[in-house]
Amino acid sequence: MTDTLTPPAAERAARPGPGARILASPLLWPVVALLLLVVINTLALAFDFAGRGETSFFLNVRIQDGHLYGNIIDIARNSAPVLLVALGMTLIIATRGIDLSVGAIAAIAGAVACTRLVGAADEGAVTAAIMACTWALAVCVLLGLWNGFLVAVLGIQPIIATLVLMVAGRGLAMLVTDGQITTVHNDTFSDLATGFVLGLPVASLIAVGMVVVAAVLTRRTALGMLIEAVGINPEASRLAGVRARTIIWTVYVFGAFCAGLAGLIIAANTNSVNANSLGLWIELDAILAVVIGGTALTGGRFSLAGTLVGALFITTLARTIPNVGIPSEANYLFKAVVVVAVCLLQSPRARAALRVRRRPVPKGAHS
């Protein structure tokens, strides 16, 4: 018998308990905040905080014409554009970058698609919608290559490089549409935002599908490790043989592609495109979703699951504000306060204060 811990026992003793692991998880507070918003919405609609003269159940989901409807379904559908943009932004931020041009890229995608539809021989044809979306996404890929070239090859700071396209992109979109609001009539195109497959919104399926693709590519291949390596220490990764330029180019192209998909969904929701307002400030919501999800702006490790929770949080918060009867003039202030609170709870100092301390194992307890 001995009073010292055997190596396996010592390893088990040093291993944090379930409570400590949960408190240390970057997903804890975003999930808690999201659930809190659901509770607030449930109470607000049940007791009619907004004074609308009617009550309802927030979590109610009904089936109509074979499709699912309800507040939860609406949030899932409305969060699709933010989730798509935030998905690309997650990988860009993981490489120590930022992309402020995603809103402009979304506007360009909508402008190209709607203009191609209006100019098609048969505006309502399925092939016209497919070709219009293909052209739009191809342009977005070229814009992503441009951003990647400025950052990876010319070495321009990402915030400056993408600010160029953020400013010029709206102008490009207005040139494509001749400064007019372009309206289209194509059922296939409209289905991107309002259609259903197996009872679920097409927009949500597209967004979730892109999350799954990104998760497979970054967690089942070496791509995720290479992105993190570039973000943690670009010089060390270069000395280790990682082609940082290729990685940076890849994430900016992916981010532009996701922004293009978001722009198509936004345009399809209204069957029109306004180059001045489509996707306006969506880049800020995307960055907030990424930060709320636990991805650090300093680069390195990233969380796709956290980004998903962050996008749902942003969309649910937008639904909460009118439900609780807050005036529209205070929307942005309320949103800022809530986001700051969630980010503070995610800080390492706050987590350290809430961490469950493990009691030391008495000597001889495992003798």
Side-chain angles (χ1 to χ4, degrees), residues 79-152:
S79 66
V82 175
L83 176 56
L84 284 168
V85 177
L87 178 63
M89 191 74 72
T90 300
L91 300 185
I92 293 173
I93 289 176
T95 62
R96 288 192 181 184
I98 199 77
D99 191 349
L100 300 180
S101 67
V102 287
I105 292 176
I108 293 173
V112 171
C114 290
T115 303
R116 294 285 301 182
L117 279 173
V118 170
D122 185 1
E123 183 180 341
V126 175
T127 54
I130 295 174
M131 290 304 300
C133 293
T134 301
W135 272 98
L137 293 177
V139 171
C140 292
V141 169
L142 291 177
L143 296 175
L145 287 171
W146 167 255
N147 282 338
F149 173 76
L150 294 180
V151 176

